[in-house]
Amino acid sequence: MRAVEALMAALKHEGVDVMFGYPGGANLPTYDAIYDAGINHILVRHEAGGGHAAEGYAKSTGKVGVSLATSGPGATNLVTPIADAMMDSVPTVFITGQVRTDLLGTDGFQEADITGITMPIVKHSIMIRDPRDIPKAIHEAFHVARTGRPGPVLVDIPQDLSRAEIDYVPIDDVSLPGYQPTHSGNAKQIRLAAKALANAKRPVFYVGGGVVNANASEELRDLARIEKFPVTCTLNGLGAYPAPDPQWLGMLGMHGTRAANYAMDEADLILAIGARFDDRITGKLSEFAPNAKFVHIDVDPAEISKNVPAHIPIVGDAKEILPRFSEEYRALESDESRMKEWWERIEHWREKYPLTYEDSTDNEIKPQYMVQAVWEATEGQAIVASDVGQHQMWAAQYYDFPEPRRWINSGGAGTMGFGLPAAMGAAAGNPEQLVVCISGDGSLQMNIQELATLAENKIPVKIFLMNNGFLGMVRQWQELFWDGRYSHVDMGNLPDWVKLADAYGIWAKQETDKTKLVGTLKEAIEHDGPALVDVRVTKEENTYPMIPAGQAARDMVG
């Protein structure tokens, strides 16, 4: 069979049911094979949209997302989604076309060294040199993308090799001698960590997206509820522990709750699970959790002690380690009353510093209220994708996520333009679930062309646009730290979003009245197809509380 037909067979063998892409000259043979492959291919309007859609699919389903592009500019348009997938550990396979092998290195038309360009931002990359290696490369790419710490893998296929005739035999058991992720964790270290936790008087569970990736939320809850351990989550960890649970302190970090950040600041032991001590979490690193010992569980050994030295490092998969941790802990018969004063301290912070805002006394819509209205209209059961900026932080603060894989955002790279295509990918992977996209007027314009993809494919994403006419987060920083000099952050009121959505064939409505907002959002949800609500919110609202950049958690403002 043709190599591209073997490529399709390998993708189907890996369970691919949908992929996102854009054709061009160098991957024409691949698209010819797609014609008969029986795999749902969604034609995006920009390769970056396809890359982020693959991320949204992967984050919401736990399966590997696939995106295709042609050579040169098509491939380089995938650089941002690849970097984004690397930062957030998203299992993805990117398949790019390449110029013919006789043109490699000649600056041929649409030639770009995409494997070289993306070398620092992929988990692995494969440049095809022999057409017989194409199916093997696909099987290896999926194996690497979804095992160990998940991440993006690039497969680059020269056009002439994709047309060759080859034999194909599926590979069920990929073996890569140089790639052997550790899953189980060291038994002695787990025992030591359990003893440390049993002796701690002020412990905090610090949970990251690694718990979501490992599908270890149930195991986390089992351990946290053995005794009443306080739990906080990173931005990417939201949903790993149920938000309504009384042991949950809220999100921590730059725009986290004071209770979560103060608890980390005064903790004597921090149990970090699948989290990487990002600077948005630690603030001023030299003053981060000054009295704590650190137990760090992570499947990626490179993360252990990268930013914060771990007293007890445990390398492995949270889903395998946490049940053994629980077993070791239960055997210790610890004294839960030792945490009485700690919980009194935490409850004091919760009571004194609740997550709140000053709502309007008229019909003006505050952005925080808008997120609460989205929660009410969706009954808290939607998959929520967001873009990046103030609306992202308000969504993280005020939409209580009860389960993992309900929150899809660009946490590490902070990529504007992520939300709309990611929501599209999430909807494609979860056709029975309600998917909403909370975006800002700056972010949505970054990949606005994907409105056409939604309309053409009748993908029923509901876009709730938080429109304040500003690049809000940059404006906030200019207000607070640059003497209010608003340099190039005013977006005005353009475009007319209702007319724009209508031009794409999408139902849309503008809302300016707080009293009507929930009803309008429900109207959009009940519409059979994609919909957009342009919500006009307070122009100069700030996201609080906040740890100013470079300062410690105890220096929170707002």
Side-chain angles (χ1 to χ4, degrees):
M1 63 175 65
R2 290 184 299 165
V4 285
E5 290 167 344
L7 167 63
M8 293 300 120
L11 290 172
K12 293 174 74 172
H13 189 74
E14 293 293 343
V16 176
D17 54 4
V18 61
M19 51 191 181
F20 311 87
Y22 205 98
N27 65 358
L28 264 176
T30 299
Y31 272 83
D32 185 69
I34 288 173
Y35 194 83
D36 298 317
I39 300 175
N40 180 22
H41 175 276
I42 294 178
L43 172 63
V44 295
R45 271 38 177 186
H46 192 289
E47 291 88 352
H52 292 314
E55 287 189 88
Y57 173 90
K59 283 192 169 192
S60 63
T61 65
K63 298 189 286 188
V64 178
V66 180
S67 182
L68 296 83
T70 191
S71 61
T76 57
N77 282 339
L78 286 178
V79 169
T80 298
I82 292 171
D84 197 280
M86 188 67 178
M87 287 288 280
D88 282 358
S89 307
V90 187
T92 38
V93 171
F94 297 90
I95 303 171
T96 51
Q98 184 54 274
V99 300
R100 298 193 318 264
T101 50
D102 62 310
L103 293 175
L104 286 172
T106 68
D107 291 336
F109 177 68
Q110 290 194 332
E111 181 186 6
D113 177 12
I114 192 62
T115 54
I117 290 169
T118 57
M119 190 63 72
I121 54 172
V122 292
K123 185 177 179 185
H124 185 51
S125 61
I126 303 169
M127 174 71 188
I128 299 297
R129 302 287 184 182
D130 185 324
R132 294 170 295 183
D133 291 339
I134 290 176
K136 177 172 175 283
I138 294 298
H139 291 307
E140 290 179 354
F142 274 76
H143 175 70
V144 172
R146 64 187 168 211
T147 55
R149 179 178 181 171
V153 179
L154 174 75
V155 181
D156 194 34
I157 308 176
Q159 202 248 27
D160 55 326
L161 303 187
S162 67
R163 303 165 70 108
E165 291 289 326
I166 66 169
D167 295 325
Y168 169 56
V169 177
I171 300 173
D172 290 313
D173 187 18
V174 174
S175 177
L176 297 171
Y179 174 71
Q180 301 292 333
T182 300
H183 296 286
S184 58
N186 181 278
K188 181 180 178 182
Q189 296 296 85
I190 294 172
R191 195 173 307 121
L192 285 174
K195 288 181 179 177
L197 184 62
N199 291 324
K201 294 182 178 178
R202 301 188 303 278
V204 178
F205 283 22
Y206 157 49
V207 176
V211 172
V212 178
N213 284 338
N215 296 315
S217 293
E218 185 177 341
E219 290 77 6
L220 170 67
R221 289 195 298 271
D222 288 345
L223 175 60
R225 290 169 180 168
I226 294 175
E227 290 180 354
K228 191 180 177 183
F229 293 114
V231 181
T232 181
C233 296
T234 67
L235 180 66
N236 276 343
L238 291 174
Y241 196 83
D245 190 281
Q247 289 174 230
W248 193 60
L249 308 183
M251 182 178 73
L252 82 162
M254 178 172 281
H255 292 292
T257 66
R258 285 181 183 265
N261 283 309
Y262 288 177
M264 291 286 281
D265 188 56
E266 296 191 11
D268 64 355
L269 184 133
I270 291 174
L271 175 58
I273 312 169
R276 59 189 175 87
F277 295 96
D278 176 83
D279 62 282
R280 284 291 197 269
I281 296 299
T282 64
K284 189 175 185 179
L285 193 57
S286 61
E287 296 186 21
F288 174 66
N291 302 309
K293 289 188 174 181
F294 296 93
V295 177
H296 194 171
I297 301 172
D298 203 294
V299 73
D300 184 356
E303 286 299 332
I304 304 287
S305 297
K306 185 179 77 176
N307 295 326
V308 173
H311 296 87
I312 304 176
I314 305 174
V315 178
D317 188 283
K319 193 168 186 68
E320 294 195 24
I321 291 171
L322 292 181
R324 294 166 57 205
F325 198 125
S326 295
E327 185 179 344
E328 292 284 354
Y329 192 86
R330 284 191 174 92
L332 295 173
E333 298 181 352
S334 59
D335 177 14
E336 187 173 0
S337 66
R338 73 190 188 282
M339 290 188 287
K340 182 174 181 295
E341 291 184 12
W342 182 225
W343 269 109
E344 289 174 352
R345 184 88 170 129
I346 290 172
E347 295 298 351
H348 164 73
W349 290 323
R350 281 175 153 171
E351 184 176 343
K352 187 173 182 179
Y353 307 110
L355 189 61
T356 188
Y357 63 97
E358 185 176 346
D359 200 1
S360 60
T361 55
D362 53 18
N363 291 345
E364 182 180 18
I365 301 172
K366 288 293 185 81
Q368 301 93 329
Y369 177 83
M370 175 186 159
V371 176
Q372 291 176 321
V374 173
W375 191 94
E376 182 179 346
T378 62
E379 299 179 351
Q381 295 301 311
I383 295 175
V384 178
S386 89
D387 262 298
V388 169
Q390 286 182 311
H391 64 275
Q392 176 192 27
M393 292 298 118
W394 283 316
Q397 290 175 332
Y398 289 95
Y399 196 100
D400 289 337
F401 295 94
E403 298 175 7
R405 303 197 183 282
R406 297 287 186 90
W407 170 237
I408 314 295
N409 88 123
S410 171
T415 304
M416 292 176 69
F418 173 90
L420 172 58
M424 185 169 71
N430 302 271
E432 304 302 320
Q433 295 195 45
L434 171 62
V435 178
V436 307
C437 173
I438 298 177
S439 189
D441 48 309
S443 284
L444 191 56
Q445 294 186 74
M446 287 269 186
N447 267 317
I448 195 170
Q449 74 286 341
E450 300 311 328
L451 289 176
T453 311
L454 288 185
E456 179 66 23
N457 294 277
K458 298 180 174 55
I459 301 173
V461 170
K462 314 302 177 184
I463 304 162
F464 298 143
L465 177 62
M466 189 179 287
N467 188 350
N468 60 10
F470 274 120
L471 297 176
M473 191 61 86
V474 184
R475 183 211 58 75
Q476 176 172 334
W477 281 57
Q478 288 177 341
E479 176 193 328
L480 297 178
F481 309 117
W482 296 88
D483 300 325
R485 290 157 56 88
Y486 290 174
S487 179
H488 300 281
V489 291
D490 190 341
M491 303 291 281
N493 290 319
L494 295 175
D496 183 321
W497 289 96
V498 175
K499 289 182 178 177
L500 181 66
D502 183 62
Y504 278 108
I506 291 177
W507 181 96
K509 191 171 184 178
Q510 184 185 91
E511 189 53 74
T512 60
D513 187 337
K514 183 173 71 175
T515 63
K516 299 177 180 176
L517 181 57
V518 173
T520 301
L521 297 177
K522 286 183 177 178
E523 191 178 356
I525 291 169
E526 291 165 1
H527 175 74
D528 184 19
L532 184 151
V533 180
D534 174 18
V535 183
R536 297 301 174 102
V537 300
T538 307
K539 284 186 70 69
E540 296 186 51
E541 185 77 5
N542 287 343
T543 311
Y544 288 127
M546 176 183 185
I547 303 175
Q551 296 192 33
R554 70 185 74 95
D555 299 323
M556 291 193 84
V557 297

